Amino acid sequence: MTDFFQDLRRALAELPKVEQWFVVGAPWGKGDFIVAGNPDPHLGQYVADTENFDGEGQQVLENAAFIAAANPFTVRLLLAELDALRATVALFQRPGLEAAARWIDQRRDAFDAAFGQIDPDTGTVEFGRGATANAREDYSNELAELAEGIRGLSKGGA
């Protein structure tokens, strides 16, 4: 499965391990910039400033609050939750995918029994000669490939 969050995971790994971000308010700020590690901007590490230097921009306080809430610790928790949910979905998908593959196997076995014959020398199913026989063999092989492909999905393949 494609991880659309690969760049985000890489960026998080490169950040310093600061657990919390804070919006800097009074007495040091107006709530429009963010520091990491400590709410005191003299002790915390500068993260971002949402102030518009030509005057107050729109929603600078809301933007600052969002940035502080979307700190690396929170993003790591969200990614961990996403990974856990993906694993749970995969766990519950496997039995259904395996059942679908078995159903296709049963259809192939029934088709082979109805239209094929087992070669006593090789033990393989043969369908005779000619265009009809070739079409039957192709259909039987296609069913086998479908079942194999579905089993591959249950193992995380594409």
Side-chain angles (χ1 to χ4, degrees):
M1 171 181 287
T2 301
D3 184 2
F4 296 105
F5 302 104
Q6 184 175 4
D7 291 339
L8 181 59
R9 292 176 196 276
R10 191 174 14 262
L12 281 170
E14 294 171 4
L15 284 175
K17 300 296 182 209
V18 176
E19 297 297 320
Q20 201 167 2
W21 289 2
F22 301 92
V23 173
V24 178
W28 304 294
K30 301 180 288 183
D32 58 3
F33 72 98
I34 298 95
V35 293
N38 193 306
D40 181 338
H42 304 97
L43 302 174
Q45 181 181 9
Y46 177 82
V47 173
D49 189 344
T50 62
E51 181 182 23
N52 179 342
F53 290 105
D54 294 332
E56 288 298 319
Q58 293 183 359
Q59 300 177 321
V60 294
L61 300 179
E62 293 85 353
N63 291 342
F66 177 78
I67 292 169
N71 63 69
F73 178 74
T74 302
V75 173
R76 282 186 191 96
L77 288 177
L78 289 171
L79 288 171
E81 181 71 16
L82 173 66
D83 293 342
L85 289 171
R86 283 179 172 172
T88 301
V89 167
L91 181 68
F92 285 105
Q93 280 179 337
R94 283 187 188 108
L97 290 170
E98 181 54 38
R102 279 194 313 272
W103 181 80
I104 291 172
D105 287 338
Q106 291 169 355
R107 299 282 302 212
R108 180 181 185 219
D109 291 344
F111 181 82
D112 289 355
F115 298 102
Q117 300 170 357
I118 300 205
D119 183 320
D121 295 331
T122 64
T124 61
V125 177
E126 295 181 348
F127 296 94
R129 298 182 191 269
T132 300
N134 290 341
R136 288 176 176 164
E137 183 176 3
D138 289 346
Y139 180 69
S140 177
N141 290 337
E142 182 67 22
L143 289 174
E145 288 178 25
L146 285 170
E148 182 180 322
I150 288 172
R151 286 190 177 93
L153 291 174
S154 74
K155 294 177 178 89

